[in-house]
Amino acid sequence: MSNTGALNIAAAGADAAAHDLAGPRGARPKRALSGRNIMIYGTLAVVSLYYLLPLYVMMVTSLKGMPEIRMGNIFAPPMEITFEPWVKAWATACTGLNCEGLSRGFWNSVRITVPSVFLSIAIASINGYALANWRFKGANLFFTILIVGAFIPYQVMLYPLVIILREMGLYGSLTGLVLVHSVFGMPILTLLFRNYFTSVPEELFKAARVDGAGFWGIYFKIMLPMSLPIFVVAMIIQITGIWNDFLFGVVYTKPDLYPMTVQLNNIVNSVQGVKEYNVNMAATIITGLVPLIVYFASGKLFVRGIAAGAVKG
Amino acid sequence: MAATRRPPTLFRNLNAKIAAIPMILTALVVFVGGTAWTVVYSFTNSRLLPREKFVGLDQYERLWSSNKWLISIENLFIYGICSLVLSLIIGFVLAALLDQKIRFENTFRTILLYPFALSFIVTGLVWQWILNPQFGIQAVVRSLGFESFSFDPLYNPDIVIYGILIAGLWQSTGLIMCLMLAGLRGIDEDIWKAARIDGIPMWKTYLFIVIPMMRPVFITTLVIIASGIVRVYDLVVAQTSGGPGISSEVPAKYVYDAMFLSQNLGQGFAGSTMMLLAVIIVIVPWAYLEFGGRKRHV
Amino acid sequence: MSSVLINDLSLSFGEVSVLQNLDLEIGKGEFLVLLGSSGCGKSTLLNCIAGLLDITDGQIFINGRNVTWEQPKDRGIGMVFQSYALYPQMTVEGNLAFGLKNAGLPKDEIAKRIARAAEILHIEPLLKRKPAQLSGGQRQRVAIGRALVRDVDVFLFDEPLSNLDAKLRAELRVEIKRLHQQLENTTMIYVTHDQIEAMTLADRIAIMRGGAIQQLADPATIYNKPVNKYVAGFIGSPSINFVEGEVHPNGVPYFKAGGFEVPLERYEFAGNGPEGGKASFGIRPEHVFMGRAAEGLPYQAETTVEVIEPMGADTLVWSRLHGHELRFRVDGQTSLLKGEVVPIGFDPARASIFDANTEARL
Amino acid sequence: MSSVLINDLSLSFGEVSVLQNLDLEIGKGEFLVLLGSSGCGKSTLLNCIAGLLDITDGQIFINGRNVTWEQPKDRGIGMVFQSYALYPQMTVEGNLAFGLKNAGLPKDEIAKRIARAAEILHIEPLLKRKPAQLSGGQRQRVAIGRALVRDVDVFLFDEPLSNLDAKLRAELRVEIKRLHQQLENTTMIYVTHDQIEAMTLADRIAIMRGGAIQQLADPATIYNKPVNKYVAGFIGSPSINFVEGEVHPNGVPYFKAGGFEVPLERYEFAGNGPEGGKASFGIRPEHVFMGRAAEGLPYQAETTVEVIEPMGADTLVWSRLHGHELRFRVDGQTSLLKGEVVPIGFDPARASIFDANTEARL
Amino acid sequence: ADVEVTHWWTSGGEAAAVAEFAKAFEEKTDHKWVDGAIAGSGGTARPIMISRITGGDPMGATQFNHGRQAEELVEAGLMRDLTEIAEKEGWKDVVKPSSLLDSCTLDGKIYCVPVNIHSQQWLWLSHKAFADAGVDVPTNWEEFVAAAPALEEAGKIPLAMGQQPWQTTLAFQVLLTALAGPDAYTRIFGDKDAEFAGGEELAKVFEAAAKAREMSAKSNIQEWNQATSMVINGEAGGQIMGDWAQGEFQVAGQTAGEDYTCLPGLGVNEVIQTGGDAFYFPVVDDEEVAAAQLELASVMMSPDTQVAFNLKKGSLPVRGDVDLEAANDCMRKGLDILAKGNIIQAPDQLMSADSLTQVNDLFVEFFNSPDMSAEDAQKRFADLIANAD
Ligand SMILES: Nc1ncnc2c1ncn2[C@@H]1O[C@H](COP(=O)(O)OP(=O)(O)OP(=O)(O)O)[C@@H](O)[C@H]1O
Ligand SMILES: Nc1ncnc2c1ncn2[C@@H]1O[C@H](COP(=O)(O)OP(=O)(O)OP(=O)(O)O)[C@@H](O)[C@H]1O
Ligand SMILES: [Mg+2]
Ligand SMILES: [Mg+2]
């Protein structure tokens, strides 16, 4: 006998053989149609339907001609697919005298969104970092004010901001608008970043201090590279918010800077005359495309980032 | 043993303080300053332009005698409660469903989340259309032979606010679901195992054990939902413009209309101030407990 | 009748096979410890027994009943987790009662069981507190209580003491031992990677590695007659000394590694007597004696002290013998100097020799 | 000149005072271990020395320089953390170089230092990997390396080995010991709550409790002559036996607790000789001998075996002597039965007696 | 110079009309028209314009409903004084009715250019609906009310009404002017005669409004053009709406008198309201733009631009000295009334936006809450008028 362990196991096996080994064996049988599965997938399917319905309606309508739309059923698939509404929405729909469709505002939207997202995230992440790792006296007070600020309706701040920007000489400029977006993005983003940085082990921060890294050194070299998920969350929230913004874009800039949503609003909100629903829907989808793409591209990171930034704290 | 001097407190963490300047400025100038300005001018009879003609509480008297304002408050109340309760419930239930190690989790999650990427203008427009009795759901169901079927929430003053809710929930529950899902994933696996061994049914485990453990998630979620509720404006404008009649007015819209349609800034400011007051009464004690009480290092 | 019988159990997570064709029989009232390094599948096995993981193949019997497909709550088991897994918003009493209430037990029966568990575990004063108000040790006691009130025959412990500090760990270890003695006929399966825990608690220890059981035996056998090199190296702290060399089986068998030559006539070879070839010679530090105590032992030599580690009661000496590192344990009072040359000796009967290729005991 | 001098240090977090008027002097090249139970302020003290916490009052000198208000990086210290705290996005090399780059060292100097540290710690093959690709032990080695490259005189370790398993812990312990021997004149301050670590590593141990140092002495003194009951109970595993009774100082002094009577003529009383009154009598399990070994010892008695805990090399026996619980250690090979009555004995000179009120050593 | 012009004319016809301005401006001068259209009607556009002006970054010119909307901006000195050019070009003489220019005038100075006249007081009737119900097409409000039961019996909605606030308010104002007469209208909106507003004479207007509410109870629609299309295809008997509804009938290929009938002043009091749009010119720093502003004002007022613009817009020109040959049947009715001088001022010209909004709100509420009695509404109306300015 060279292996007593083997002996023991073999003995157990032999004993086992002596037992009545009748009865179930292997994995617990799983019926694909168990009540539980029907409940789960059924619910999810119904809910998905509710969520997809509007997208479906938008899609279908945007591919129909106006006569077909007037005939009624909004849920019916198009009998004759036409891409004209898309072309019109993008290239020829008129806003006042400018008949370039959404394309006119597209680059403006990009010009607004990119720096705004960048600046607002930069500021908020530094705020969050300072709040989480370098608490100084009074920091909590300012943070509390910010959080309360998250509840102030935008409309209320419209007027004071006009005055502030006017006094700063930034009214009507891109810089002014970028600042406005940063200000309004600050509360929620700061909250997210603060929570995220709080969850980074404190020892890492201490190690970096011993290694002689200062405030900025730790931020750029240690914290930033570790924070991809939360940056993705912040980016998605900001891109969505800023891209879709209409009010600030239009109040704080001038026509040569108007974002795409102004054209969308113009196309959708023309009060008089017949509504071209197909063009409206096409315009709607086109406008939503950028945030949607950002979304689909980074969905997984989003959940991870949310888990890290929103849940703790 | 020459003792070096203690550096003055102002310069400790100097970089952190410098870095926080944008936040401090925003907090003080924009939020506090803007708010104070608003409050001050709510005591004037400013019309189109702010004027320092103080009229005491006149604006407030008018505000509270305005039917439109009262209805706005009522609507916000209904919308707020329903939206809060329903988003939490639906968001949580969906998260719980997605947490069951199901197939296609990513697909479902994407479907639930995508409306969050769309603007309120879009949301309002689409739902206005789907709920339109002439082409929307009502028409379709009727054309299937159910002639008496009636579903026109946006056109019935009694239930219009619920019609708005349908779209509001559509837009926001995805995010709530995501938050909840993240929270659920953060629960210690062992808790689930312990509950299963104790023979506690799934729903009870959620209700009595898991939900109470998710307090931080619920708080973040609450902040997000609540701040959205107070601000609700675009959705109403896009769907009903406050109609039929004034039955779907909300405070933010009242304020906006007062300021820019009626050109009565004073009245708008008075409305804003009331909204702020309500927010502050609810939020400040909570925010202080949540963020002010605890201290960490440095 | 065996209390827990595992027959040909396999489990894989997708591609990764974690347990393979595992058989295990545990007697009634036995205290079995599953010992192994991190990731070897201990928790997985325990979860299979509890019904918390769906197995891929095989059968599980508890008290003679085939429970392979049963729900955890119906298996007649209680489980205690490393992280305690107490329900944070309920009082201790609530934690203990929750499962019972769900099972629909009458109030007075619940009260009785809680009272008994509280008494056994000395947690009566804590009943009204919430878990957050308890220390680690108290929490773990409550977690044990939660298993206790279930009034089951099989207890499963998954590293219940790992989150506690050394002192508490020692205390609770004894309490668990007492509990086992007190609850007759209660089978306990206990996962740990702390050998002291395993040695002191177990009736039998199963050493696991990579999803398979390496050796299943009582602690003394595991310690003195490890079946292979892995077990020998895993068990024992400070760990066993290994010297690589070869066994010369002819005549009086001996082990040779350079200048290090040990006669093996007193060594009990497994199987059909000595076989030649490359082998590892293992001798535990506590079986090597120094100075006067070494006199009269079959193997004697002189060795040079390199590092001295005082550990309170004992001192561990790292020395070099014919170029091989040799650790041995001396009394804590002994004074030694680095570089000193000291006489040592041991009895080869207490050694373990393993084949260099198969790593099995020779 | 002392390497680290702490003078009248106090620290409070708001209302909570964590350290009070603490004085401590550590010599050049000394290995000081801070030992104490969780929450006693060990990490806090270490953080104060490192400059990571702003102290409330007092002074800190390192190498004779007052560093009380200096930045951590300027204090000439290196620090190693329990959680390793490696920068996850940098390679091992990057981790080691980070501090040096911050200090603005020339490239070749950095390379030289890294090479040296890598050699000392045997991590050359790992330099290009990221922390996530390392095992726990390797990570901790890199963390030590990060302190090493800073080329400082004072190393601070905050429970560096707590996250490792027993085996690795033992290995790295020896490595740290070797490192200390290798780096002459390097002072190490090491926080742990593992006594074996403390005993094996320390030149001197500071036992902390509630923010104050209870005893500061070499390991043998701490072990054999604890200054108070807390230290005695804290040090030693299995822990010391205590019997509550009183000391009768007149004539031949003796200790009495019911039927348990020990003559104390061989006991070295502290201060001016024996005083009477209530006291605790402490005797370590490893100083109680059984059977033949007990013969000839000044105190002898018979005791009933209650629980037997085999721990491999040794076995711990829980017995009852005149109604008092008495644990003692016997060889792992000894076979005993529950309920057996065995002769034991010990030398009262090895006992420790403490005043029942002040808990100070008598 | 580039002159940025903001306005909220974004629908097809409106945009075409604006294009006439732009074309004329660019043809006749060296300046460039930079279009700053914002859709969503005044509610969306006005705050933006006001913010721009108060924010210190004004546009070159901007649309407002003329009247009192811009009063404060003028008082604050933010608007350009146009008196000089107005006198030079003799606007006072050509603008008909002169009230249009009056509402551009503050302290004797002119600050805006009125560009068109819109009238609201029209009842549009569907011939098909009445044929189906077997009754004659009514010729006034009384007959229309009398025909309602028959329409209902035939499954028609007697009165189609979109539920946006401005539509209900419009309906009431039309009822007020038509049933109580232009003087009553002026006493209320102009003189803010609260006693009168609460009096006997107005009670019957409120009764009529209640009747209208009843008749429109089943029209579940939002947009005004949806209501119009119900009239067009005979689902509804009629609609009270401004002259812009005519465009819808034309698009549907219907002919006035054959397929539909238009009754100005509800067929009772044939008056029309001379509301409309006007352009203001904020004070700017840039000299060149300042010069261009005057030229733009002059272009807008010039006869040929007026004709071109108003034909596209479907409204009436502000100049009495131009000829509209292309006008259709209903438009001619309007021109006739205008020529007779049966005009009233628009509420915007008489009352502050603030008070008007309150009035709007009241009627919106009234039309949407069937339980609100006519008396209650009248009482609240009177209160509003008492506090109005
Ligand atoms: N859900 C899972 N999916 C995939 N692999 C898993 C899963 N759970 C565990 N494993 C793998 O199975 C192996 C055994 O895990 P198990 O938790 O049983 O180890 P363990 O022996 O309990 O270790 P420890 O001492 O660290 O608790 C590990 O290699 C682990 O990576
Ligand atoms: N930032 C803080 N604010 C308030 N109290 C603190 C803070 N950090 C530590 N403490 C308290 O100070 C005491 C000492 O903490 P410290 O971390 O030094 O303990 P420790 O001895 O290192 O314990 P452990 O062995 O668990 O690491 C504890 O009671 C702890 O609760
Ligand atoms: Mg495990
Ligand atoms: Mg610590």
Side-chain angles (χ1 to χ4, degrees), chain B residues 188 190 193 197 200 204 208, chain C residues 47 83 89 98 102 150:
Chain B
D188 181 6
D190 285 350
K193 293 182 177 171
I197 285 177
I200 296 158
K204 267 195 182 171
F208 295 117
Chain C
N47 282 322
S83 63
Q89 73 294 349
F98 198 47
N102 265 294
R150 289 177 51 74

Side-chain angles (χ1 to χ4, degrees), chain A residues 36 41 50-51 55 61 75 133-135 140 150 152-155 157 186 202 244 284 295-296 310-311, chain B residues 13 26 30 37 100 103 110 114 116-117 119 122 129 140 166 170 173 216 220 231 233 256 275 291 294 297:
Chain A
R36 184 169 166 274
Y41 288 99
Y50 165 60
Y51 278 87
L55 188 65
T61 308
F75 300 107
N133 292 319
W134 299 84
R135 298 211 151 186
N140 277 322
I152 302 175
Y154 293 142
Q155 290 80 16
M157 301 306 296
M186 208 181 285
E202 202 181 334
N244 286 332
T284 304
Y295 246 77
F296 293 140
V311 175
Chain B
N13 285 334
T26 302
V30 182
W37 190 88
Q100 303 303 312
R103 284 150 161 274
T110 309
Y114 87 91
F116 180 64
S119 69
V122 174
W129 218 32
V140 171
I166 291 177
W170 178 79
T173 37
T220 310
R231 289 173 168 178
Y233 168 80
Y256 187 84
M275 288 174 73
F291 304 107
R294 273 184 265 138
H297 58 91

